[in-house]
Amino acid sequence: MIEKDNRNLKLVVLKFGGTSVADVPQIKKIALKIKKEINLGNKVIVVVSAMAGVTNNLIDLVKSTSQTPLYSEYDVVLSTGEQVTSALLAIALDNLNIKARSWLGWQVPIISDKSHGKAIIEEIKTEQISKFLEKNDVAIISGFQGVSQENRITTLGRGGSDTSAVAISAAFSAERCDIYTDVDGVYTTDPRIVKSAKKLDIITYEEMLELASQGAKVLQTRSVALAMKYDVKLRVLSSFEELPGTSIIKEGKNMEKSEISGIAHSLNEAKVTLSGVPDQPGQAADIFGALAKHSINVDMIVQSSSINYEATDITFTIPETDLIRGESIIKKIQKKIGFKKFITDTNVVKISVVGNAMRTQSGIAKTMFETLANNQINIHVISTSEIKISVLISSDYYELAMRSLHTAFGLDV
Ligand code: ASP
Ligand code: MG
């Protein structure tokens, strides 16, 4: 639970991702952008990522020291990337005579739980920074990091500085939270795959949440959930061009004309089939309980009921990066469950179409399945939510699937 600070500062939060702070010239450019915001009479909290590529390099350093590192120390290493950019930006702002200083997560403090590498923010103390901003202009906070009750540095998971920025916006009751990145907004689909993808001016929190969790990488999923919960006014904008970006808003407005807002794809999928599962109560609970206990996220699930109630097949998907772990967990309970075979397929991609209109319009599933059929694309697994339909298909066809669905739903520019 984040407590809101109700003092009346006109405050905006600006977050800059790794490519926006990739080198010193870029950091100097951002300092100028921040100056413009101050000239408008705003107080600014800036949240920064590490320079592009730095976090990956830090992970490599840890991994080459140990394959089983102490996660508390892993976080100390990883948090250094953001420390560098926050201080460089403070120096660049000082050069422009702007009163600014840097703050590490523990200095704010941003208090998190102790799950290192994927910590959850519990509380942000606003006292010190609010006081600082009464007499100064810019507080720069290192994204992606917090401090546990045990006084250890934590990190929030890859892409976590989006979550830092949104949580900070909520805690300080900021007017808005602008996420500056290397694309000029949220697109109907990945423009590197579908050339005719177009930028959306607006999208709802819920649609954005589905798109982010289904593989669109523009915002960390958790940050969108948090923005929705605390009504944070969120925008995604380009650091490189002066363009209006995409506003993420509550429901209610009439969105784009087409039935769906976007198409996401996720390559990090593995399909697992347990064949010959004796058809008895409690089997699914045991299988998925064991995976949940080890924090492996199961996504799509299909089980066909057996005709004679003897044995059935259960198919599900988990992240490909968890497959080795998942396999050993399931094989440990093979005797207890009594299934015959453990079959995997990693040559799969999940494609999801997302749109609020699904709540009220019928025929969207029909359009989706017909389009895939017309392109001879076989569907392995289907799953749906109120505003999303996902299919698992062979990775050989995912680009074709995305392009043809983009056209079929009238999203091409
Ligand atoms: N630097 C961290 C990462 O690369 C956090 C972030 O950029 O959001 O994942
Ligand atoms: Mg990011």
Side-chain angles (χ1 to χ4, degrees):
M1 190 63 199
I2 295 168
E3 296 277 337
K4 291 196 173 190
D5 186 310
N6 289 321
R7 263 169 284 213
N8 264 338
L9 287 174
K10 190 155 181 269
L11 185 76
V12 297
V13 171
L14 310 180
K15 184 251 161 178
F16 295 95
T19 46
S20 315
V21 291
D23 52 27
V24 169
Q26 199 53 46
I27 290 175
K28 287 183 175 168
K29 250 170 77 188
I30 275 162
L32 290 170
K33 213 184 236 320
I34 295 164
K35 187 177 179 175
K36 272 194 202 158
E37 203 65 50
I38 292 160
N39 290 344
L40 292 174
N42 292 326
K43 298 285 183 180
V44 180
I45 296 180
V46 179
V47 177
V48 285
S49 289
M51 290 169 156
V54 164
T55 308
N56 287 342
N57 293 341
L58 293 169
I59 291 173
D60 289 346
L61 284 178
V62 175
K63 289 271 156 77
S64 47
T65 310
S66 167
Q67 281 301 319
T68 51
L70 286 168
Y71 275 94
S72 48
E73 301 301 347
Y74 170 95
D75 277 355
V76 178
V77 176
L78 258 64
S79 67
T80 59
E82 276 72 10
Q83 175 163 349
V84 172
T85 42
S86 57
L88 287 176
L89 183 58
I91 295 167
L93 285 167
D94 178 58
N95 262 347
L96 301 174
N97 289 321
I98 294 169
K99 289 190 228 150
R101 72 155 268 201
S102 65
W103 304 72
L104 298 174
W106 64 268
Q107 293 174 310
V108 177
I110 295 175
I111 298 162
S112 77
D113 68 3
K114 57 181 177 190
S115 43
H116 287 283
K118 50 172 192 254
I120 306 277
I121 296 175
E122 289 176 342
E123 194 190 351
I124 298 177
K125 302 236 193 252
T126 55
E127 203 64 43
Q128 286 192 66
I129 286 184
S130 293
K131 224 178 185 163
F132 172 83
L133 286 176
E134 282 168 15
K135 296 212 174 84
N136 300 275
D137 297 313
V138 186
I140 306 157
I141 303 177
S142 296
F144 179 54
Q145 51 180 264
V147 62
S148 68
Q149 303 280 6
E150 287 76 12
N151 208 19
R152 300 297 315 260
I153 289 172
T154 57
T155 64
L156 311 181
R158 297 309 305 271
S161 50
D162 293 334
T163 297
S164 307
V166 171
I168 288 164
S169 303
F172 286 88
S173 305
E175 298 263 312
R176 58 172 211 274
C177 176
D178 287 347
I179 306 276
Y180 281 96
T181 180
D182 51 5
V183 290
D184 63 338
V186 178
Y187 275 70
T188 48
T189 193
D190 189 334
R192 284 165 301 188
I193 298 171
V194 183
K195 292 277 170 300
S196 55
K198 65 178 180 215
K199 200 213 69 172
L200 297 163
D201 296 332
I202 47 174
I203 186 165
T204 65
Y205 288 121
E206 272 182 299
E207 289 172 319
M208 191 63 232
L209 192 58
E210 289 282 15
L211 285 176
S213 67
Q214 298 309 316
K217 295 207 175 59
V218 62
L219 287 171
Q220 198 198 31
T221 308
R222 271 169 65 192
S223 72
V224 185
L226 206 60
M228 182 156 106
K229 181 167 171 193
Y230 290 98
D231 259 331
V232 173
K233 268 199 192 157
L234 201 56
R235 283 197 301 179
V236 176
L237 301 149
S238 163
S239 300
F240 309 113
E241 294 162 284
E242 293 276 339
L243 292 167
T246 302
S247 294
I248 297 141
I249 58 160
K250 267 204 224 178
E251 231 170 301
K253 290 198 186 154
N254 191 11
M255 313 289 293
E256 312 286 312
K257 276 192 213 84
S258 62
E259 300 163 301
I260 68 162
S261 297
I263 303 171
H265 74 293
S266 164
L267 301 169
N268 183 22
E269 304 288 333
K271 183 176 85 158
V272 176
T273 299
L274 305 183
S275 78
V277 183
D279 200 357
Q280 292 153 12
Q283 300 282 50
D286 283 343
I287 295 163
F288 298 119
L291 292 169
K293 208 173 122 201
H294 293 87
S295 303
I296 294 183
N297 248 328
V298 176
D299 182 27
M300 311 171 98
I301 302 176
V302 276
Q303 181 192 333
S304 52
S305 66
S306 53
I307 296 168
N308 50 12
Y309 297 102
E310 274 172 9
T312 180
D313 292 345
I314 298 181
T315 295
F316 55 89
T317 61
I318 57 176
E320 189 174 345
T321 38
D322 284 333
L323 182 58
I324 294 171
R325 252 172 8 105
E327 177 160 1
S328 88
I329 291 163
I330 296 294
K331 286 199 168 158
K332 273 192 198 125
I333 53 170
Q334 178 158 15
K335 261 217 183 99
K336 185 175 174 211
I337 307 277
F339 65 87
K340 299 242 156 45
K341 278 196 211 143
F342 183 97
I343 307 154
T344 60
D345 186 356
T346 52
N347 190 35
V348 289
V349 172
K350 183 176 57 175
I351 308 280
S352 307
V353 303
V354 171
N356 262 332
M358 271 181 222
R359 283 186 219 280
T360 49
Q361 285 181 31
S362 53
I364 295 174
K366 173 180 173 276
T367 306
M368 183 173 194
F369 302 151
E370 262 177 19
T371 306
L372 296 172
N374 290 342
N375 286 283
Q376 308 293 323
I377 299 170
N378 194 30
I379 301 171
H380 297 316
V381 186
I382 301 169
S383 72
T384 63
S385 81
E386 239 186 311
I387 64 164
K388 176 201 76 194
I389 304 167
S390 300
V391 293
L392 195 73
I393 61 171
S394 158
S395 35
D396 301 341
Y397 304 116
Y398 79 93
E399 298 194 349
L400 172 65
M402 288 169 73
R403 285 189 203 113
S404 51
L405 289 169
H406 201 265
T407 307
F409 283 106
L411 295 172
D412 291 346
V413 264

